[in-house]
Amino acid sequence: RFALMHIDDDTLNHRDDVKKTTELPLAHKWILSRTNQTIKDVRAAMKGYHFNEIASANYQFIWHEFCDWYLEWIKADLFSNDENLQKQAKAILLTVLETILKLIHPVTPFVTEEIWSVLPGERKPLMLTEFPEPLDSWDNKEAEEEARLLMGIVTGIRNIRSESEVHPSAKID
């Protein structure tokens, strides 16, 4: 629902931002790299008919990376006064969301088909689209390592605040 609130038909006009991966901020480089790895993991699991691995790879990516981290990181861009940051974030958000829907479609076809149908633009049914292929240009181990370090720092700070009983919204000096 959050993603659908921010993407519209105009988002489709800014897809070139996804192709300029070297110029993207860390959050976008990271999510595209993680999306690419998830594509590889799901495709490998499908070849071996390991449906539990398909579901697990999708779940881990969607919940722990896309929702927990990426959506939080791009909120500042989505609500920014900088139109370029907004358009870039929306284009990558839509691209990753479309990929997620394609990856999880074999597991939850009716749900994904319904979400697909409300995305912007003219669309054929999801079941008739091509399954995602990995893109070498999305691989970025350096961005993944930088993001992993940043996530570790944020998690550590959250743990310290929790142990010290400092409310998450409380400002500290």
Side-chain angles (χ1 to χ4, degrees):
R1 187 153 183 90
F2 175 81
L4 293 176
M5 290 173 23
H6 294 282
I7 53 179
D8 52 30
D9 286 336
D10 185 53
T11 304
L12 299 170
N13 299 326
H14 302 282
R15 295 281 187 136
D16 287 343
D17 288 333
V18 179
K19 296 175 185 170
K20 303 174 191 170
T21 55
T22 57
E23 301 170 22
L24 296 173
L26 175 62
H28 300 316
K29 288 179 184 179
W30 171 76
I31 198 63
L32 290 174
S33 188
R34 295 306 305 141
T35 301
N36 210 42
Q37 185 58 51
T38 304
I39 292 169
K40 293 173 187 177
D41 294 345
V42 169
R43 291 183 74 83
M46 287 181 83
K47 282 183 183 175
Y49 299 100
H50 301 290
F51 298 108
N52 61 323
E53 291 176 22
I54 295 168
S56 179
N58 277 303
Y59 176 81
Q60 294 300 320
F61 173 70
I62 294 166
W63 190 252
H64 296 294
E65 295 175 312
F66 182 71
C67 293
D68 280 355
W69 290 100
Y70 183 67
L71 291 180
E72 292 300 320
W73 279 344
I74 66 166
K75 281 180 181 177
D77 291 348
L78 293 173
F79 294 108
S80 170
N81 292 329
D82 185 331
E83 198 172 304
N84 290 329
L85 285 177
Q86 279 186 7
K87 288 177 181 179
Q88 184 181 65
K90 289 176 182 183
I92 294 169
L93 173 60
L94 178 58
T95 299
V96 174
L97 180 58
E98 288 172 330
T99 305
I100 286 170
L101 292 173
K102 291 176 182 182
L103 289 172
I104 199 73
H105 187 69
V107 179
T108 59
F110 300 108
V111 173
T112 53
E113 200 69 66
E114 180 62 27
I115 296 169
W116 182 262
S117 73
V118 298
L119 292 178
E122 290 289 322
R123 295 178 177 276
K124 60 185 175 185
L126 178 56
M127 67 182 219
L128 299 178
T129 64
E130 294 199 21
F131 201 74
E133 292 279 349
L135 298 170
D136 290 341
S137 63
W138 285 7
D139 276 335
N140 192 326
K141 297 302 176 197
E142 184 178 312
E144 287 190 45
E145 190 56 40
E146 287 178 33
R148 198 173 0 262
L149 176 63
L150 181 59
M151 287 185 276
I153 292 168
V154 169
T155 301
I157 292 170
R158 287 178 180 165
N159 288 341
I160 292 169
R161 289 178 70 106
S162 175
E163 291 168 6
S164 301
E165 298 179 5
V166 176
H167 192 274
S169 65
K171 302 282 185 204
I172 57 174
D173 294 328

